[in-house]
Amino acid sequence: MNRKAIIGVMGPGEQATTNDLQNAYQLGYLIAQQGWVLLTGGRNVGVMEAASQGAKAAQGLTIGILPGNNTSGVSTAVDIAIVTDMGNARNNINVLSSDVVIACGMGAGTASEIALAIKSNKFVILLNDDLNSKDFFQKLAPKNIYIAHSVSDAITLTRNVLVNC
Amino acid sequence: MNRKAIIGVMGPGEQATTNDLQNAYQLGYLIAQQGWVLLTGGRNVGVMEAASQGAKAAQGLTIGILPGNNTSGVSTAVDIAIVTDMGNARNNINVLSSDVVIACGMGAGTASEIALAIKSNKFVILLNDDLNSKDFFQKLAPKNIYIAHSVSDAITLTRNVLVNC
Amino acid sequence: MNRKAIIGVMGPGEQATTNDLQNAYQLGYLIAQQGWVLLTGGRNVGVMEAASQGAKAAQGLTIGILPGNNTSGVSTAVDIAIVTDMGNARNNINVLSSDVVIACGMGAGTASEIALAIKSNKFVILLNDDLNSKDFFQKLAPKNIYIAHSVSDAITLTRNVLVNC
Amino acid sequence: MNRKAIIGVMGPGEQATTNDLQNAYQLGYLIAQQGWVLLTGGRNVGVMEAASQGAKAAQGLTIGILPGNNTSGVSTAVDIAIVTDMGNARNNINVLSSDVVIACGMGAGTASEIALAIKSNKFVILLNDDLNSKDFFQKLAPKNIYIAHSVSDAITLTRNVLVNC
């Protein structure tokens, strides 16, 4: 295919930690630098906002898959806003549309995206400090889950997955 | 409201264990005995099938929320088949339509349902042997997650939640 | 199958005419009398409300497929509320879950349901006074569209479709 | 907003006429020339394919909102493939994500998109030879429907709508 790879960065909105936000911004920046397209949940908070801003700082292309029925609350760093009006069910579109999913931080929405990604046999890279989540998801789907120890590690793992699939 | 309570029983399909199936059948039977309506993912395998058969054995009413675009593969024990054509995104409808969610066994689809239920602030009762899942989800949402140690325990917890909400 | 037939009655909400409401109530009543299950969009207005009330007056079973993320605004005559959080996209679930669709009255939502039903090769019975809609949909899908001249005519057509499919 | 306008071109797949295909290609070409983003249903047939190829011929950016659960069958002229696994319910996403909808040709899917667009108070430009469809939709929603008599007319109408909303 000629289409560019789409990398989904999923993570908490309002509940994101400072560390999550720093990681998300760097992920977005490096994803754009690789020439990949960034996909997030599109809202102007948390990991979605930080990743999108990072990608734009590196002149990347950004997609936001919004839960509501219009573009209110979309990040100013989203180039392409997809308006789903599906609430949290849009999380399934997030993962199906991503060639690789990076989970940056943890929360209920993020956990649903990891689980839905596994269910559709996608590869998911976990970048967070939550040991329970790593134990749980790695045991649930050892072939689909990779653990990243840093942002650059997540980018390296993403590149490896893209090359092999 | 005059509507009967709807109890969602979520669990693995093809990957369900013998223990999951026995628990699911009993859950369905006891849910019907309480006069509650059973809701499952509707397919004729695993926890969905066993719970639906249990509920019909006790003359209950059963709803199946199907992932495909027709009723092929529906359990013969489903009275009301809802055809969504949404694939795994129908998991969000499963939990939104349930007054209480009981997760019987564990798998990627079940994990997505627990996470989506938490995201919508629903109560989820975990009935399984997977310690990692209990550790993860209880820490993620201590107010939404209850641990059941047996089928009858799950029914008691369900009744308590219904009374208090 | 042992499942009862599900008949979807689709029509305007707030914009329903007095005639639409009378027809919808009678449709619901007669659908229940035949032993069929009634499915509507579930809200407490317009054709959805009237059809559901009619069906309950004849001790029928009623399903409501709601567009929002909870049961607020559900008709008191709905027995089984399915909560989709999909907005107007739930119209596709309405028609996929119905063995026959009866369009009672006309509006943008109703038109979308007729079109989606045709797209999935469902049978649709039109009961309304809008000549343009009949001209358009009959030409679009002559094999899928039936014109009813009265409520009892719609019930007869429904029975014929159920027997033949 | 800094986001570019997204123009949705909706029309038949396998059933598109030669005239529909010519119009769709030109629409895609001119949409890209204006600096707008093209959105279609993404498949490699009919109006979706022709419009996407036209837009790429003019170096435009193209989005495809796919009905299935992977990218099989996507047009080679789609830059950004959104994988919904929602079947025809994805038609609602098509119209919600478009600032203006152009219906090029007619069919059941296209009719559902026009109706869903009206329901969400979007502007729809009809470009086809089907008099019944014009009569029906114009009467249904006179404020939302514009009739285009040519491709260039459709582009002029689109520009006017974008300026005024």
Side-chain angles (χ1 to χ4, degrees):
Chain A
M1 70 171 197
N2 294 318
R3 279 175 284 119
K4 294 181 181 176
I6 297 181
I7 311 303
V9 174
M10 313 290 153
E14 290 79 359
Q15 311 301 324
T17 67
T18 305
N19 196 34
D20 293 339
L21 297 176
Q22 289 174 342
N23 285 343
Y25 185 92
Q26 287 186 281
L27 281 171
Y29 192 92
L30 293 172
I31 284 168
Q33 271 201 335
Q34 310 297 314
W36 301 329
V37 174
L38 174 72
L39 182 148
T40 71
R43 297 197 298 122
N44 59 2
V45 291
V47 164
M48 299 172 271
E49 171 73 13
S52 301
Q53 295 290 355
K56 291 313 295 176
Q59 281 80 50
L61 183 67
T62 54
I63 307 171
I65 311 288
L66 295 166
N69 67 356
N70 60 51
T71 56
S72 72
V74 66
S75 166
T76 57
V78 162
D79 294 315
I80 305 288
I82 304 296
V83 179
T84 68
D85 199 15
M86 288 177 65
N88 297 319
R90 73 85 151 79
N91 292 1
N92 198 43
I93 298 180
N94 292 357
V95 299
L96 289 172
S97 302
S98 298
D99 294 299
V100 178
V101 171
I102 303 174
C104 174
M106 188 51 56
T110 309
S112 76
E113 284 158 330
I114 298 168
L116 289 165
I118 293 168
K119 185 76 179 169
S120 292
N121 204 25
K122 294 274 181 178
F123 292 98
V124 183
I125 296 163
L126 302 187
L127 177 64
N128 69 60
D129 303 323
D130 181 321
L131 289 180
N132 286 318
S133 72
K134 296 178 193 176
D135 286 346
F136 173 56
F137 286 117
Q138 260 199 325
K139 189 180 161 211
L140 189 66
K143 294 182 182 170
N144 297 84
I145 298 290
Y146 295 84
I147 306 293
H149 302 287
S150 66
V151 168
S152 65
D153 196 15
I155 297 294
T156 302
L157 288 166
T158 300
R159 193 181 303 113
N160 290 347
V161 170
L162 288 175
V163 167
N164 293 318
C165 72
Chain B
M1 68 170 198
N2 294 317
R3 278 175 285 119
K4 294 180 181 176
I6 296 181
I7 310 303
V9 175
M10 313 290 153
E14 289 79 359
Q15 311 300 324
T17 67
T18 304
N19 196 35
D20 293 339
L21 297 176
Q22 289 174 342
N23 285 342
Y25 186 93
Q26 288 186 280
L27 281 171
Y29 192 91
L30 293 172
I31 284 168
Q33 271 200 336
Q34 310 297 314
W36 301 329
V37 174
L38 174 72
L39 183 148
T40 72
R43 297 196 298 122
N44 57 2
V45 291
V47 164
M48 298 172 270
E49 171 73 12
S52 301
Q53 295 290 355
K56 291 314 294 177
Q59 281 80 49
L61 184 67
T62 55
I63 306 170
I65 311 288
L66 294 166
N69 68 356
N70 60 51
T71 56
S72 72
V74 67
S75 166
T76 58
V78 161
D79 294 316
I80 304 289
I82 303 297
V83 179
T84 67
D85 199 14
M86 288 174 65
N88 297 318
R90 72 86 149 79
N91 293 1
N92 198 43
I93 298 181
N94 293 357
V95 299
L96 289 173
S97 302
S98 299
D99 293 298
V100 178
V101 172
I102 303 175
C104 175
M106 188 51 56
T110 310
S112 76
E113 284 159 328
I114 298 169
L116 289 165
I118 293 168
K119 185 76 179 169
S120 292
N121 204 26
K122 293 273 180 179
F123 292 97
V124 183
I125 295 164
L126 302 187
L127 177 64
N128 70 59
D129 301 323
D130 182 320
L131 288 181
N132 286 318
S133 72
K134 296 178 192 176
D135 286 345
F136 173 57
F137 286 117
Q138 260 199 325
K139 190 180 160 210
L140 189 66
K143 294 182 182 171
N144 297 83
I145 298 288
Y146 295 85
I147 306 292
H149 302 288
S150 66
V151 168
S152 64
D153 196 15
I155 298 294
T156 303
L157 287 165
T158 299
R159 192 181 303 111
N160 291 347
V161 171
L162 288 175
V163 168
N164 293 319
C165 72
Chain C
M1 70 170 195
N2 295 317
R3 278 175 286 120
K4 293 181 182 178
I6 297 180
I7 310 303
V9 174
M10 313 291 151
E14 290 79 0
Q15 311 302 324
T17 66
T18 304
N19 196 35
D20 293 339
L21 298 176
Q22 289 174 342
N23 285 342
Y25 186 92
Q26 287 186 281
L27 281 171
Y29 192 92
L30 293 172
I31 284 168
Q33 271 201 334
Q34 310 297 314
W36 302 328
V37 174
L38 175 72
L39 183 148
T40 71
R43 296 196 298 123
N44 58 1
V45 291
V47 163
M48 298 172 271
E49 171 73 14
S52 300
Q53 295 290 355
K56 291 314 294 177
Q59 280 81 49
L61 183 67
T62 55
I63 306 169
I65 311 289
L66 294 166
N69 68 356
N70 60 50
T71 56
S72 73
V74 66
S75 166
T76 58
V78 161
D79 294 315
I80 305 289
I82 304 297
V83 179
T84 68
D85 200 15
M86 289 175 65
N88 297 318
R90 73 85 149 79
N91 292 0
N92 198 43
I93 299 180
N94 293 356
V95 299
L96 289 172
S97 302
S98 299
D99 294 298
V100 178
V101 171
I102 303 176
C104 174
M106 187 52 56
T110 310
S112 77
E113 285 159 328
I114 298 168
L116 289 165
I118 293 169
K119 185 76 179 169
S120 291
N121 204 25
K122 293 274 180 178
F123 292 97
V124 183
I125 295 163
L126 302 187
L127 177 65
N128 70 59
D129 303 322
D130 181 321
L131 288 181
N132 286 319
S133 72
K134 296 177 193 178
D135 286 345
F136 173 57
F137 286 116
Q138 260 199 325
K139 189 179 161 212
L140 189 66
K143 293 180 182 173
N144 298 82
I145 298 289
Y146 295 84
I147 306 293
H149 302 288
S150 66
V151 168
S152 64
D153 195 15
I155 296 295
T156 302
L157 287 165
T158 299
R159 192 181 303 112
N160 291 347
V161 170
L162 289 175
V163 168
N164 292 319
C165 73
Chain D
M1 69 170 195
N2 294 318
R3 278 175 286 121
K4 293 180 182 178
I6 297 180
I7 310 303
V9 174
M10 312 290 152
E14 290 79 359
Q15 310 302 323
T17 66
T18 305
N19 196 35
D20 293 339
L21 297 176
Q22 289 175 341
N23 285 342
Y25 185 92
Q26 287 185 281
L27 281 171
Y29 192 91
L30 293 172
I31 284 168
Q33 271 201 335
Q34 310 297 313
W36 302 329
V37 174
L38 175 72
L39 183 149
T40 71
R43 296 196 298 121
N44 58 2
V45 292
V47 163
M48 298 171 271
E49 171 72 13
S52 300
Q53 294 290 355
K56 290 314 294 176
Q59 280 81 49
L61 183 68
T62 54
I63 307 170
I65 310 288
L66 294 166
N69 67 356
N70 60 51
T71 55
S72 71
V74 67
S75 166
T76 57
V78 161
D79 294 315
I80 305 289
I82 303 297
V83 179
T84 67
D85 199 16
M86 289 178 66
N88 297 317
R90 74 86 150 78
N91 292 1
N92 198 43
I93 299 180
N94 292 357
V95 299
L96 289 172
S97 302
S98 299
D99 293 299
V100 178
V101 172
I102 304 176
C104 175
M106 187 52 55
T110 309
S112 77
E113 284 159 329
I114 298 169
L116 289 165
I118 293 169
K119 185 74 179 171
S120 291
N121 203 25
K122 293 274 180 177
F123 292 97
V124 184
I125 295 164
L126 302 187
L127 177 65
N128 70 59
D129 303 323
D130 181 321
L131 289 181
N132 286 319
S133 72
K134 296 178 192 176
D135 285 347
F136 173 56
F137 286 116
Q138 261 199 325
K139 189 179 160 209
L140 189 66
K143 293 182 182 171
N144 297 83
I145 298 290
Y146 294 85
I147 305 293
H149 301 288
S150 66
V151 168
S152 64
D153 195 15
I155 297 296
T156 302
L157 287 165
T158 300
R159 193 181 302 113
N160 290 347
V161 170
L162 289 175
V163 168
N164 292 318
C165 72

